[in-house]
Amino acid sequence: ATNGQHGLDMLRTMDELPFMILLDLMMPIKDGMQFRAEQVQDERLKKIPVVIMSADVNVQKKNLQAQADGYVK
């Protein structure tokens, strides 16, 4: 997906969901934290494990805030 909103839109129309989401925190339109906030509110999407990736030096802290399953620097 090209941005967080596009990613959510794609997921919501998929018949078969991915096994994992690799989520960039720095995206246009809807960033990774906004994406994650919406994802966990969606009963169908919240079950998909999320690994955060970012060049942000605070990625470990943001991973905890987002309650993601892991992170990559």
Side-chain angles (χ1 to χ4, degrees):
T2 56
N3 61 66
Q5 186 60 56
H6 182 223
L8 286 167
D9 293 343
M10 286 176 56
L11 288 167
R12 288 177 176 143
T13 61
M14 290 179 167
D15 291 328
E16 187 174 332
L17 294 173
F19 293 105
M20 179 182 73
I21 295 170
L22 186 58
L23 181 63
D24 189 353
L25 292 179
M26 298 180 195
M27 295 184 289
I29 301 176
K30 189 168 285 192
D31 67 23
M33 296 299 280
Q34 293 167 319
F35 171 97
R36 182 72 174 140
E38 281 196 45
Q39 181 212 1
V40 297
Q41 295 299 315
D42 187 305
E43 287 299 318
R44 184 168 176 253
L45 302 182
K46 73 180 183 181
K47 299 172 185 156
I48 306 169
V50 172
V51 174
I52 291 175
M53 62 176 216
S54 183
D56 188 319
V57 295
N58 297 314
V59 67
Q60 184 175 10
K61 180 181 176 184
K62 290 186 177 180
N63 179 62
L64 292 172
Q65 290 171 336
Q67 299 179 338
D69 298 283
Y71 68 95
V72 179
K73 287 185 180 182

